[in-house]
């Protein structure tokens, strides 16, 4: 039995949610940001899914989000290598809606929130529901959660955690 996660709550929330990404946005933080309706990032922020180093996969849909918004080759590269990308690279891949430098990130988030808030709320809710229809993202994320649960029981995971704890990472 899979537990309903906060990612599901975010994705199903009737009001649009904007993720402001500044600094490191890795693993579960990345998956949380990707579950939001919009992502606005600082150009130098670092995004990624480093779970492979722990003998795991991103268990709440990281691979699926990357595949959905960029493509499966980008998802494989990021998930198989644990590679971090910058906010600018994430924007080029389509993983974030906007990218900004120092001093403009907060204003960009406020501008988007203000613009959306000024629109008729029922129309905004209908757009959100319509844009999310027809996606098998829910089933693909369920697959990842099952795989992640299994991998937590393996020797690879134990070794990955040990190596991580001994590293300077």
């Amino acid at each position: 039995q899979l537990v309903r996660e906060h990612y599901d709550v975010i994705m199903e929330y009737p009001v649009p949610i904007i993720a402001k990404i500044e600094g490191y946005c890795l693993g579960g933080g990345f998956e949380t940001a990707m579950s939001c309706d919009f992502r606005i990032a600082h150009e130098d922020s670092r995004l990624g899914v480093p779970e492979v180093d722990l003998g795991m996969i991103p268990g709440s849909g990281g691979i699926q989000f990357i595949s959905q918004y960029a493509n499966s080759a980008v998802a494989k590269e990021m998930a198989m290598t644990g590679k971090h990308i910058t906010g600018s690279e994430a924007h080029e891949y389509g993983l974030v809606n906007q990218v900004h430098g120092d001093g403009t990130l907060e204003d960009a988030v406020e501008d988007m929130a203000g613009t959306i808030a000024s629109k008729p709320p029922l129309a905004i809710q209908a757009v959100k529901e319509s844009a999310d229809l027809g996606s098998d993202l829910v089933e693909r994320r369920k697959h990842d959660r099952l795989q992640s649960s299994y991998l937590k029981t393996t020797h690879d995971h134990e070794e990955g955690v040990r190596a991580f704890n001994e590293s300077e990472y």
Side-chain angles (χ1 to χ4, degrees):
Q1 176 82 6
L2 292 175
V3 177
R4 183 172 157 84
E5 298 178 320
H6 71 277
Y7 313 99
D8 301 313
V9 174
I10 291 169
M11 292 175 71
E12 295 168 9
Y13 199 69
V15 176
I17 298 175
I18 302 170
K20 179 178 91 170
I21 303 169
E22 191 169 17
Y24 285 91
C25 185
L26 305 171
F30 176 83
E31 291 171 314
T32 299
M34 295 304 293
S35 66
C36 295
D37 298 292
F38 304 101
R39 290 156 300 285
I40 301 177
H42 187 280
E43 62 193 0
D44 294 328
S45 57
R46 305 297 293 183
L47 297 86
V49 285
E51 287 86 346
V52 71
D53 294 329
L54 300 175
M56 298 289 299
I57 66 169
S60 295
I63 297 166
Q64 306 310 328
F65 287 123
I66 299 167
S67 293
Q68 178 102 359
Y69 298 119
N71 62 56
S72 62
V74 173
K76 290 174 189 175
E77 179 181 1
M78 288 179 68
M80 289 180 184
T81 66
K83 172 184 174 183
H84 301 180
I85 60 173
T86 65
S88 294
E89 290 170 313
H91 185 253
E92 290 173 21
Y93 289 142
L95 299 175
V96 300
N97 300 83
Q98 297 177 28
V99 64
H100 295 274
D102 292 335
T104 61
L105 181 62
E106 189 71 36
D107 289 341
V109 172
E110 288 180 19
D111 287 347
M112 178 175 267
T115 297
I116 293 169
S118 74
K119 306 299 180 191
L122 294 177
I124 294 298
Q125 185 175 1
V127 168
K128 178 174 174 157
E129 290 172 7
S130 181
D132 292 338
L133 278 179
S135 167
D136 59 351
L137 186 57
V138 170
E139 287 302 312
R140 294 186 339 235
R141 288 182 60 241
K142 186 184 297 183
H143 171 269
D144 286 0
R145 288 194 301 259
L146 289 170
Q147 288 296 311
S148 181
S149 292
Y150 160 71
L151 289 169
K152 287 178 184 173
T153 68
T154 67
H155 178 70
D156 285 357
H157 176 61
E158 289 174 21
E159 283 297 307
V161 170
R162 184 193 55 72
F164 177 81
N165 288 334
E166 293 175 359
S167 73
E168 294 180 24
Y169 185 56

